[in-house]
Amino acid sequence: GDSVTQMEGPVTLSEEAFLTINCTYTATGYPSLFWYVQYPGEGLQLLLKATKADDKGSNKGFEATYRKETTSFHLEKGSVQVSDSAVYFCALSDPGNQFYFGTGTSLTVIP
Amino acid sequence: NAGVMQNPRHLVRRRGQEARLRCSPMKGHSHVYWYRQLPEEGLKFMVYLQKENIIDESGMPKERFSAEFPKEGPSILRIQQVVRGDSAAYFCASSSARGGPYEQYFGPGTRLTVT
């Protein structure tokens, strides 16, 4: 079945450091891929998405590229801020199917 | 343009009581999903509903849990005879269609505490 595997957390970075959160997926079809962010005490918010191979999703300085050959959708940001501290979820959606979420990666950015 | 609404935000129940969680999807959305998030864990799919229909309940516990999405009014997730293990955050999401590029929009969640 379809699934998403995310890198284990927690991740702690200093402000302005480079961020990578790895995400790989398994899917039988051609899924759409998403990154969601959850701030403390809140629901999930869509951060970015990509709907086909080689698409790059980007938002708020974050970006991720849909790599079909490596079945990956790694999240990156060049310079993190304290306000980026949150839990990040990778997810996939096959046409007609439910969403599959990764277990989440907690990021803490320290000044 | 109101987003997904959930209430209550916090709910405390004693063991054996019933919990009723409400979700109003975004305007124009007819697809509703419920997820559970246990402490230190990811999101687990519970059930997917359209108006008056349960489409996929493969993630719902077999006993004590039920969900509905009536023709009028919010979607309801009902937990009967709650136990301590039901303590979690329950999130509702809605979408304009299912699957593919249609992202889900999440509510703020209901945090259930069973004492």
Side-chain angles (χ1 to χ4, degrees):
Chain A
D2 294 0
S3 67
V4 173
T5 303
Q6 266 184 257
M7 105 187 219
E8 296 273 334
V11 174
T12 302
L13 294 173
S14 297
E15 207 165 21
E16 298 183 5
F18 185 86
L19 168 72
T20 300
I21 301 178
N22 290 338
C23 171
T24 57
Y25 68 90
T26 302
T28 51
Y30 299 93
S32 295
L33 301 173
F34 305 80
W35 276 100
Y36 279 81
V37 58
Q38 183 182 30
Y39 298 102
E42 298 183 14
L44 278 69
Q45 303 173 25
L46 179 68
L47 181 59
L48 53 85
K49 71 177 185 181
T51 58
K52 61 183 187 299
D54 299 325
D55 266 2
K56 178 186 282 188
S58 60
N59 186 25
K60 299 180 182 179
F62 291 90
E63 58 183 36
T65 301
Y66 189 143
R67 302 280 187 206
K68 194 167 186 296
E69 63 276 14
T70 53
T71 61
S72 65
F73 193 55
H74 304 321
L75 182 69
E76 296 181 335
K77 186 174 186 182
S79 176
V80 294
Q81 305 301 313
V82 172
S83 57
D84 294 327
S85 297
V87 180
Y88 293 81
F89 291 90
C90 185
L92 74 79
S93 175
D94 253 342
N97 288 336
Q98 68 198 50
F99 263 55
Y100 295 87
F101 285 88
T103 53
T105 302
S106 175
L107 170 67
T108 301
V109 180
I110 54 177
Chain B
N1 191 13
V4 178
M5 310 287 283
Q6 286 187 254
N7 67 81
R9 293 292 305 274
H10 300 274
L11 182 61
V12 179
R13 284 287 178 267
R14 290 201 178 106
R15 279 179 297 172
Q17 290 185 319
E18 178 180 288
R20 291 170 71 88
L21 289 60
R22 294 175 188 77
C23 168
S24 296
M26 280 184 72
K27 188 175 180 181
H29 286 188
S30 59
H31 302 253
V32 167
Y33 314 79
W34 285 93
Y35 294 86
R36 178 165 62 177
Q37 185 177 38
L38 292 167
E40 307 302 321
E41 293 188 19
L43 285 173
K44 301 294 185 186
F45 167 78
M46 298 181 76
V47 62
Y48 159 53
L49 310 103
Q50 293 183 26
K51 288 280 188 183
E52 300 184 281
N53 281 303
I54 298 173
I55 307 300
D56 180 352
E57 56 182 346
S58 57
M60 286 277 271
K62 293 288 185 279
E63 297 177 349
R64 301 189 297 108
F65 285 72
S66 63
E68 63 177 14
F69 188 17
K71 188 176 179 182
E72 302 289 338
S75 175
I76 306 286
L77 179 68
R78 183 180 177 209
I79 311 172
Q80 295 178 291
Q81 300 173 343
V82 295
V83 300
R84 288 231 172 99
D86 297 332
S87 296
Y90 292 83
F91 290 97
C92 169
S94 72
S95 66
S96 57
R98 190 188 192 196
Y102 299 100
E103 63 260 33
Q104 297 185 4
Y105 293 81
F106 282 79
T110 293
R111 280 154 182 81
L112 172 66
T113 302
V114 179
T115 61

